[in-house]
Amino acid sequence: MNLQDLMMLYGVTLGARYTRKQRYFFATQMKEALNGTGWDYQIQTNPKGKTAQRVENIVVGDPSRARTIFVAPYDTPAKSLRPFRYYPFAPEKTMGEERRDTVLRAGLGMVVAILSVPLITLAVSRGGIWLLLLLGAALFLFLGYRVMKGSANEVNFNRASASVAVCMKLVEELRDKKNSVAFVFCDKSVSAYEGYKVLGMSLSQNANVVVLDCLAYGETLVLAHGTLANLRVRKLMEKLPQAKEKNYADEALEKNLLSFFPGGMVLTSGRVEGKDLVVEGTRSAQDHKLDLPRLEKIVQALEAFARD
């Protein structure tokens, strides 16, 4: 399957992977796609008591013996009520965006739910046919609950269907490298780091991990890493000359997802704003843009890196 078809599959047909049911359909389709390819796959769950949420990472190949491990988050976010700004390397700022959206969602949901009060009061005081107003009150209460709970964002090219498509393309291209390459599709990794945490606990600190984040579009392609990955970065940068390198000091790794993969790298894109990389347009209907030529070059570079 070519990359464009993979983007249609994972970005459109299976583009929402927010609810448990949606993630189950995705995992089922992936197992069907892997059957007959020769790749072994398994579900990696969190050790009991180690993380707050149930995690189901999809592991393709054997990370314990792989020389290169490609990682992509596979869950997708809830729809945001306001323009959302994602900061790949500044999680505290992303959490600030999450909190503002949560507060707005709670406030709006309360307003909608409160609209049921006069209907309930009128129905109870007058009785008879007026009791039908309770149906309207129930509707307002339900709508308020739905607003507060949130719903799946339906289009998620940048977060992170493009990364899933890239990994599945590499699964096809690297079938002769089953002994040296592995892939992990991480659960609970869009609004939290739970999937990354579970994977990180199973790997050595020096594991050659390449995390693929927002790759569908963005002004600047960035390859971030710590000091342990310096030599590997040189090889990948040779194959991705359009990418900008971001080298984090060891103490700075603790502030982003590289803390789980000290010897790894993160490839993502966005707009440079001061010292931060910002990704805009996610968690909304605007997350449908795709720079397919660049994505194809990324696939070629990652394949060459894995074969090096």
Side-chain angles (χ1 to χ4, degrees):
M1 192 178 293
N2 62 42
L3 189 57
Q4 186 171 3
D5 289 340
L6 287 169
M7 277 302 305
M8 288 298 294
L9 175 60
Y10 296 114
V12 180
T13 307
L14 299 170
R17 302 177 293 275
Y18 176 67
T19 67
R20 186 172 183 177
K21 184 177 181 180
Q22 289 168 342
R23 294 197 299 276
Y24 171 77
F25 281 143
F26 168 79
T28 300
Q29 188 283 330
M30 180 161 287
K31 289 176 184 177
E32 292 177 357
L34 291 169
N35 284 334
T37 65
W39 286 96
D40 294 326
Y41 58 88
Q42 61 182 317
I43 301 297
Q44 179 187 53
T45 59
N46 43 312
K48 190 174 181 180
K50 292 294 184 181
T51 58
Q53 304 178 51
R54 170 74 175 179
V55 169
E56 295 184 346
N57 292 340
I58 302 172
V59 180
V60 181
D62 186 355
S64 66
R65 67 179 184 180
R67 290 186 301 170
T68 306
I69 305 167
F70 294 108
V71 176
Y74 76 82
D75 59 320
T76 57
K79 184 181 297 183
S80 177
L81 295 179
R82 52 186 294 277
F84 193 88
R85 292 161 62 87
Y86 166 54
Y87 297 82
F89 306 114
E92 71 284 354
K93 293 185 177 181
T94 302
M95 287 303 299
E97 292 283 310
E98 292 272 5
R99 284 192 293 270
R100 283 187 283 272
D101 188 67
T102 299
V103 170
L104 179 60
R105 189 180 304 280
L108 183 58
M110 288 289 291
V111 169
V112 174
I114 288 172
L115 293 175
S116 67
V117 174
L119 297 182
I120 294 173
T121 302
L122 190 59
V124 171
S125 64
R126 298 204 177 186
I129 193 67
W130 292 93
L131 290 176
L132 291 176
L133 291 176
L134 292 177
L135 295 176
L139 178 60
F140 279 124
L141 288 171
F142 175 72
L143 291 175
Y145 166 75
R146 286 294 302 271
V147 170
M148 286 187 276
K149 182 182 178 182
S151 60
N153 192 55
E154 297 298 329
V155 185
N156 304 282
F157 275 27
N158 231 2
R159 295 206 73 191
S161 297
S163 298
V164 171
V166 165
C167 280
M168 288 305 289
K169 185 61 179 176
L170 291 172
V171 165
E172 293 178 8
E173 299 299 328
L174 294 170
R175 280 183 288 187
D176 60 324
K177 291 291 183 179
K178 295 184 181 70
N179 293 328
S180 60
V181 179
F183 302 86
V184 182
F185 300 87
C186 284
D187 187 18
K188 301 292 194 308
S189 298
V190 168
S191 298
Y193 284 162
E194 298 300 320
Y196 294 134
K197 187 186 302 182
V198 170
L199 175 61
M201 288 189 292
S202 69
L203 301 176
S204 70
Q205 286 202 329
N206 197 39
N208 182 24
V209 174
V210 183
V211 180
L212 307 178
D213 195 13
C214 297
L215 299 181
Y217 59 91
E219 294 178 9
T220 306
L221 189 65
V222 175
L223 183 64
H225 64 94
T227 55
L228 279 176
N230 281 344
L231 293 178
R232 297 165 184 158
V233 168
R234 299 278 78 76
K235 292 186 176 182
L236 184 51
M237 286 294 293
E238 289 174 3
K239 299 167 177 58
L240 272 177
Q242 68 269 44
K244 289 189 176 181
E245 182 183 351
K246 176 65 175 177
N247 192 341
Y248 283 95
D250 291 341
E251 60 274 11
L253 293 184
E254 297 302 319
K255 298 179 180 179
N256 58 55
L257 65 86
L258 280 168
S259 61
F260 306 112
F261 316 112
M265 301 168 258
V266 177
L267 183 64
T268 188
S269 62
R271 179 170 58 82
V272 177
E273 189 177 273
K275 295 183 179 180
D276 293 317
L277 184 72
V278 183
V279 183
E280 298 173 313
T282 65
R283 297 185 61 168
S284 74
Q286 301 305 311
D287 194 5
H288 59 77
K289 302 175 186 175
L290 176 63
D291 186 344
L292 187 61
R294 189 181 72 173
L295 200 63
E296 290 173 336
K297 290 179 182 178
I298 289 172
V299 170
Q300 294 167 4
L302 295 175
E303 181 186 352
F305 175 73
R307 292 184 180 282
D308 193 345

